[in-house]
Amino acid sequence: MSLLVKARRIGREIVEVTPERAGWRHVGFRATRLHAREEERASTGERELCLVVLSGTVDVEVGAPDAQRFDGLGRRDSVFDDIAPAAVYVPPRREVTVRATRDAELAWCTAPSTGRHGVRQLDPATMTRTVRGMGSNTRYVRDVLPQTEPADHLLVVEVVTPAGHSSSYPPHKHDRDAAPEETLLEETYYHRLHPPQGFAFQRVYTDDRSLDESMAVEDHDVVMVPRGYHPCVAPHGYDLYYLNVMAGPGRTWIFKNDPVHEWMLR
């Protein structure tokens, strides 16, 4: 099975990854587009949801028992705008209605949940933005739902990698439940390119090369990372954005660098 999930270029449904499709237990991801005045309804089932307004503006209504409504979420015209996204956390067994007040792109990030945490808006003003790496390894990271914020399993972060730069690099992995050295987290990468006709490259590989897949990713494609190292490269002329969704048995992100390439950090 290929780790690359190609996007649909037209229609409401852009791309979807279910645990069944991925062959894992935790991460679910779906991206949708809504035109102004369109509506999308969904049920969270037995999963927690982090709904991220990637671009556009929407109203979000969450049903009983703790019904809430959030109007006018989202200020970005593009994921490449230097503005934090709007987002809402929703626990299991809730009905969610999203109405677009202008054209919008949404990310539906899910994981199993016991329902310990209530509905809440994730305040863009509190989402930290950091610079990671240096030189042609510089990228810009924004925490949407980090491990310091309440959730059962979900971690959500977005990264912008300038053209000509590498990202998730040196290559790292988090596929062993072996804290404090490493934690087990499944992961998806939802890729966007600017300009949109561009492409980027991602490799997913293990030490023994039992998994070794290199992919050319285009705008809106998803790469599934069940295990192994997973670096990205943005070619000259095309900026790369990706939204990472991670989840596993725990909720701590501890990674291990590929020792062959760790020399560059010294």
Side-chain angles (χ1 to χ4, degrees):
M1 179 186 70
S2 173
L3 299 179
L4 178 62
V5 184
K6 297 298 293 181
R8 300 176 181 90
R9 300 304 168 192
I10 58 173
R12 177 175 296 190
E13 195 80 17
I14 300 173
V15 69
E16 183 175 20
V17 173
T18 64
E20 293 76 20
R21 177 175 187 173
W24 58 37
R25 294 183 52 202
H26 295 92
V27 172
F29 178 79
R30 179 176 173 237
T32 59
R33 52 175 77 88
L34 290 179
H35 295 300
R37 296 181 294 281
E38 286 187 336
E39 180 177 287
E40 176 85 5
R41 295 175 183 266
S43 174
T44 57
E46 298 302 313
R47 301 174 67 81
E48 62 185 350
L49 165 69
C50 179
L51 176 66
V52 184
V53 185
L54 298 174
S55 62
T57 306
V58 300
D59 299 334
V60 178
E61 187 174 344
V62 180
D66 46 355
Q68 294 194 49
R69 182 183 174 97
F70 307 96
D71 289 337
L73 297 184
R75 298 172 47 220
R76 300 198 299 200
D77 295 321
S78 163
V79 294
F80 293 95
D81 292 347
D82 191 15
I83 302 170
V88 176
Y89 176 87
V90 185
R93 299 175 291 280
R94 301 297 190 278
E95 299 297 322
V96 181
T97 302
V98 181
R99 300 179 184 88
T101 57
R102 65 187 180 111
D103 290 359
E105 182 179 345
L106 306 169
W108 307 73
C109 316
T110 70
S113 176
T114 60
R116 294 181 297 160
H117 308 288
V119 177
R120 71 185 189 278
Q121 180 181 354
L122 305 179
D123 185 1
T126 67
M127 295 179 186
T128 59
R129 181 186 183 276
T130 56
V131 180
R132 193 172 295 165
M134 62 181 65
S136 61
N137 200 38
T138 303
R139 61 268 199 203
Y140 303 94
V141 180
R142 183 170 274 113
D143 293 314
V144 179
L145 182 60
Q147 62 192 47
T148 54
E149 291 290 328
D152 278 336
H153 293 279
L154 273 175
L155 295 164
V156 182
V157 61
E158 60 178 19
V159 180
V160 173
T161 305
H165 288 218
S166 54
S167 196
S168 294
Y169 193 78
H172 70 259
K173 72 181 185 77
H174 37 75
D175 57 15
R176 293 188 307 127
D177 193 8
E181 291 83 19
E182 187 177 350
T183 52
L184 172 58
L185 293 168
E186 305 157 356
E187 186 169 19
T188 54
Y189 277 66
Y190 177 58
H191 290 279
R192 297 294 317 277
L193 277 299
H194 178 72
Q197 70 270 26
F199 59 90
F201 298 101
Q202 185 161 22
R203 183 186 183 196
V204 181
Y205 68 97
T206 55
D207 288 306
D208 63 4
R209 302 303 192 266
S210 59
L211 175 62
D212 191 353
E213 188 170 337
S214 297
M215 291 152 279
V217 296
E218 296 178 296
D219 199 30
H220 298 288
D221 288 349
V222 168
V223 171
M224 303 180 292
V225 183
R227 65 188 188 278
Y229 308 101
H230 39 276
C232 303
V233 176
H236 174 75
Y238 294 101
D239 295 330
L240 171 66
Y241 165 99
Y242 54 79
L243 183 76
N244 284 141
V245 183
M246 293 183 283
R251 198 169 169 262
T252 303
W253 182 54
I254 305 175
F255 61 86
K256 175 191 173 185
N257 290 317
D258 186 340
V260 173
H261 303 293
E262 203 166 30
W263 63 267
M264 66 186 70
L265 296 176
R266 297 174 192 142

